[in-house]
Amino acid sequence: MILLLILLLTLALLVGLVIMTVSTVGAIGIVVFGDVIVCIVFIVLITKWLIKRKRK
């Protein structure tokens, strides 16, 4: 019974650690690559505006 309790506590600890790690890495990824995504959107909008401007 004690062995089962130790195994369950270990499982709970590992699940908590994995959840915390995945959420931390995801948040860091959004912060780091968020600027890249915004930059790509701005470049696309500027190129669309320039293409429309040249057609007139």
Side-chain angles (χ1 to χ4, degrees):
M1 194 69 178
I2 293 176
L3 183 60
L4 180 64
L5 182 64
I6 292 172
L7 287 173
L8 288 175
L9 287 175
T10 305
L11 177 68
L13 183 67
L14 286 175
V15 167
L17 186 66
V18 167
I19 290 172
M20 287 176 42
T21 304
V22 168
S23 63
T24 303
V25 169
I28 290 172
I30 289 173
V31 169
V32 170
F33 294 112
D35 294 336
V36 175
I37 294 169
V38 170
C39 182
I40 290 172
V41 169
F42 279 143
I43 290 172
V44 168
L45 289 175
I46 289 172
T47 54
K48 281 185 179 181
W49 180 71
L50 286 174
I51 290 172
K52 280 185 178 179
R53 188 173 167 204
K54 287 186 178 181
R55 285 185 184 174
K56 291 183 179 180

